[in-house]
Amino acid sequence: MGVPTSSHGVAVTSSTPLRRQPVQQRSAKRVERMLEACASLIEEVGYDGVTTTLIAERAGVAVGSLYQFFPDKRAVVQALTMRNLDKFMETITARFGSTPLEHWWDAVDTIFDAYVGMHRDVPAFSKVRFGDAVDMRLLDDKRDNNAVISDRMVELIAAKFGIPLDELQLPIAVAVQAADGVLDLAFRIDPNGEQRVLDEAKSLIRGYLSTRLPK
């Protein structure tokens, strides 16, 4: 069986960290508390300092309850990261729908700003981002995390501007990788993102893509 694809032909995430899906609302809320607890602990002690016992204690649940849904702390962080990816994509999709985008670089700026917002506003995001601090293939066991992100970006930009997928895939993959490295520098210098480095990152990405994508 091949990797699942979206309606635009772009591969989508196939991994699932949950042992079982919460069916009742009470169980769903319990899992949500575990994810929030995990995020707050990563902010305080880093990924290596987090344990399933600490997550359970912070969430106010028995550790056995945590193991009903997650086999280990990696799985909890994986679920947290997938939730962050969903939030990121929902934010971009909403902005694409509410903001006039006359050119592909307006879309790229929108995506960039949403990513910076995740660093600033989402607990623990700057520590784990989309999983690289834990596992380069945390989002999908067949592709690097950045490949998952770039495929999502390709899908959105192709649908919005009618640019063929094969013209977008490599340039967007390179841009995502470059942006990730420079943004990591910006948030190492300043927890809120060093603005001069953020500006340089946006200029770098736009400059590179302007030589690869249609004018």
Side-chain angles (χ1 to χ4, degrees), residues 85-112:
L85 176 57
D86 288 342
K87 179 181 178 64
F88 180 57
M89 297 308 301
E90 288 167 5
T91 298
I92 293 169
T93 300
R95 291 183 185 179
F96 273 29
S98 63
T99 306
L101 302 173
E102 297 181 1
H103 196 277
W104 60 257
W105 61 55
D106 297 318
V108 171
D109 284 353
T110 297
I111 293 168
F112 184 95

Side-chain angles (χ1 to χ4, degrees), residues 1-7 9-15 140 142-143 151:
M1 182 179 296
V3 177
T5 60
S6 72
S7 59
V10 177
V12 297
T13 310
S14 60
S15 302
D140 189 311
K142 297 178 178 64
R143 294 175 295 156
D151 282 351

Side-chain angles (χ1 to χ4, degrees), residues 4 42 44 47 57 59 89 112 114 128 168 185 191 193 196 205 215:
I42 291 172
E44 293 172 18
Y47 175 75
E57 289 176 353
M89 297 308 301
F112 184 95
V128 295
L168 285 169
L185 171 64
R196 291 176 301 171
I205 298 308
K215 300 299 183 184

Side-chain angles (χ1 to χ4, degrees), residues 119-137:
H119 272 276
R120 289 173 171 165
D121 302 332
V122 177
F125 186 81
S126 285
K127 298 288 181 66
V128 295
R129 303 197 301 282
F130 286 118
D132 289 0
V134 179
D135 186 332
M136 292 297 291
R137 294 192 172 186

